[in-house]
């Protein structure tokens, strides 16, 4: 029995034009990044076209995920007493 594949399953190949659109960049930038050795998904060259697997594109995006910094912990120290206001020096 053959397995039904969904259009976006992890093994589906996408042409470089679709990869660029998903990454919101140009095909030319992808080529530059590839030549520079940037962390891009592996590619498959079929004839004169380049393809990437959907799952590898998603994994590449996930590797670039940046977690926001954790909020500072609430202070457990006692609050500092307020400073008395300075009175204007003058003659009484």
């Amino acid at each position: 029995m053959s397995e039904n594949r969904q259009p976006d399953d992890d093994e589906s190949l996408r042409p470089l034009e679709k990869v660029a659109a998903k990454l919101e960049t140009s095909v030319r930038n992808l080529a530059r990044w590839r030549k520079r050795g940037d962390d891009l998904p592996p590619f498959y060259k079929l004839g004169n076209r380049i393809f990437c697997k959907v799952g590898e594109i998603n994994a590449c995006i996930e590797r670039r995920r940046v977690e926001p910094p954790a909020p500072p912990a609430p202070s457990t120290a006692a609050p500092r007493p307020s400073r008395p206001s300075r009175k204007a020096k003058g003659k009484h």
Side-chain angles (χ1 to χ4, degrees):
M1 190 173 194
S2 67
E3 178 186 69
N4 289 331
R5 292 196 168 206
Q6 297 300 317
D8 279 341
D9 71 17
D10 285 351
E11 295 297 311
S12 294
L13 292 175
R14 292 290 176 265
L16 206 56
E17 297 81 11
K18 299 256 183 184
V19 175
K22 183 169 179 108
L23 297 177
E24 297 184 3
T25 191
S26 67
V27 172
R28 179 174 278 208
N29 273 339
L30 289 178
R32 281 187 200 124
W33 297 345
R34 195 171 55 248
K35 286 179 183 179
R36 208 168 56 190
D38 287 357
D39 179 31
L40 291 173
F43 63 93
Y44 303 86
K45 190 161 183 159
L46 304 173
N48 63 352
R49 306 237 7 235
I50 296 175
F51 297 84
C52 295
K53 287 184 179 178
V54 170
E56 292 169 341
I57 298 164
N58 293 334
C60 178
I61 293 169
E62 201 55 35
R63 284 192 301 270
R64 287 174 158 66
R65 181 178 174 184
V66 178
E67 291 289 331
S75 176
T76 57
R80 293 176 57 181
S82 61
R83 297 173 82 184
S85 62
R86 294 184 184 191
K87 292 186 178 177
K89 292 184 179 179
K91 295 182 182 178
H92 290 269

